């Protein structure tokens, strides 16, 4: 089952936190972060909730597509940092938009937005006509700000796509390899007087080197697989939208697959890693840049906790 993209939107908090600001309270430096991760500043919420960011990104996608909230058949949100465990972020967004359609969240960590696109494709197969898909994260809430290996990486933001029925979602691949050791965010322990096991702190725990190895392999394999499944060659792909986790992961994939670096997009320098929002924010930047031509093939590829990974090929146009 397939769809076409009718519009995109994104939102980044106005407050950018620079590396030098972090080095005032964590043992790190601008030079280390730029060299090892490729980030110089990251957007961090000062007042916004995750739902506020999702709402602003959704407004952009609705406006670009000319679809009104009352016309939506479904809202799907990808997130690991919703404001509430329940209700879902999608239900909060539905209320803010004044929509009445079904709404639910999907958690596949940083691969979540592509998992959500695939879920939307299945709903189009059930006859739905307009689905709003949003990735939104307030990771500043789940990071331990005294842990230098994660505090310098993660950030806040949201991206959205308005999807209509169509035939431009060409191929896709979803993977999961259950592992809560390498990268996880434990839930809050609660106050049960009966539970006897000590809980991990409810912040991001990450084995950076293991994630790095998994990420490069997963991205290269998934990207090559979805391109082949689409009946295309790598050179046929006009734009690659990789998850923005570390500039060195993207550079390693470029080298391994012999990609044209200028076709493999990056905005991590000023956005940081926004998990499920990352590829959606970058897609919105591309779609609004005027660089896309009708018929251009785009690959999106992501990886994250789970461990999950996902990729897809989309053809631009089809209106
Ligand atoms: N500033 C300064 N030094 C830091 C640091 C920071 N922010 N973070 C870690 N270091 C230190 C380590 O403590 C270590 O010091 P030591 O040698 O004295 O023990 C040294 O830098 C090297 O650590 P290492 O973990 O080998 O660094 P690295 O080159 O692997 O970079 C990451 C660390 C986290 C940037 C990198 O592993 C990474 O990006 N991994 C993938 C993470 C990711 O993508 N996560 C999201 C997935 S969706």
């Amino acid at each position: 089952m397939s769809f076409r993209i009718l519009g995109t939107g994104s939102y980044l908090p106005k407050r950018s936190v620079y590396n030098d600001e972090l080095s005032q309270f964590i043992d790190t430096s601008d030079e280390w972060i730029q060299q090892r991760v490729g980030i110089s500043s990251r957007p961090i919420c000062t007042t916004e909730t995750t739902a506020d960011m999702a709402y602003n990104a959704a407004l952009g996608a609705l406006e670009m597509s000319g679809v009104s909230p009352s016309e939506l058949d479904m809202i799907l949100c990808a997130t690991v940092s919703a404001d509430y465990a329940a209700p879902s972020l999608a239900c909060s967004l539905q209320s803010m938009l004044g929509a009445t359609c079904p709404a639910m969240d999907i958690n596949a960590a940083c691969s979540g937005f592509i998992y959500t696109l695939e879920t939307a494709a299945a709903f189009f197969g059930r006859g739905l006509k307009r689905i709003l898909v949003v990735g939104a994260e307030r990771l500043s809430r789940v990071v331990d700000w005294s842990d230098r290996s994660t505090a310098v990486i993660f950030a806040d933001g949201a991206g959205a796509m308005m999807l209509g029925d169509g035939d431009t979602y060409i191929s896709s691949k979803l993977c999961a390899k259950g592992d809560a050791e390498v990268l996880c965010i434990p839930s809050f322990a609660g106050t049960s007087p009966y539970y006897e096991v000590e809980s991990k702190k409810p912040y991001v725990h990450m084995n950076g080197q293991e994630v790095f190895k998994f990420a490069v392999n997963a991205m290269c394999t998934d990207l090559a697989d979805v391109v082949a499944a689409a009946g295309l060659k790598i050179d046929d792909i006009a734009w690659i939208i990789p998850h923005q986790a570390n500039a060195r992961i993207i550079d390693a994939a470029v080298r391994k697959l012999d990609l044209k670096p200028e076709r493999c997009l990056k905005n991590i320098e000023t956005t940081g890693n926004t998990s499920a929002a990352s590829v959606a924010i970058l897609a919105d930047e591309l779609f609004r840049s005027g660089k896309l031509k009708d018929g251009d093939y785009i690959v999106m590829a992501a990886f994250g906790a789970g461990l999950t990974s996902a990729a897809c090929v989309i053809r631009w146009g089809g209106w």
Side-chain angles (χ1 to χ4, degrees), residues 14-26 28-30 33-34 39-44 145 151-152 269-270:
K14 301 290 166 281
R15 174 69 161 101
S16 284
V17 174
Y18 288 83
N19 295 340
D20 283 338
E21 295 179 71
L22 297 181
S23 63
Q24 287 167 20
F25 62 93
I26 314 174
T28 189
S29 68
D30 178 48
I33 302 169
Q34 297 238 28
I39 297 174
S40 58
S41 66
R42 74 281 294 139
I44 296 292
W145 283 91
V152 303
E269 187 180 356
T270 53

Side-chain angles (χ1 to χ4, degrees), residues 8 16 40 65 70 80 92 100 108 138 146-147 149 170 180 186 188 191 194 196 223 235-236 271 284 287 315:
T8 60
S16 284
S40 58
S65 59
S70 62
V80 296
S92 300
T100 54
R138 184 156 72 95
S146 64
D147 174 8
S149 69
I170 311 294
F188 280 92
T191 57
Y194 306 107
E196 295 171 3
L223 210 149
D235 283 348
D236 297 325
T271 59
D284 183 47
F287 297 167
R315 195 178 63 247

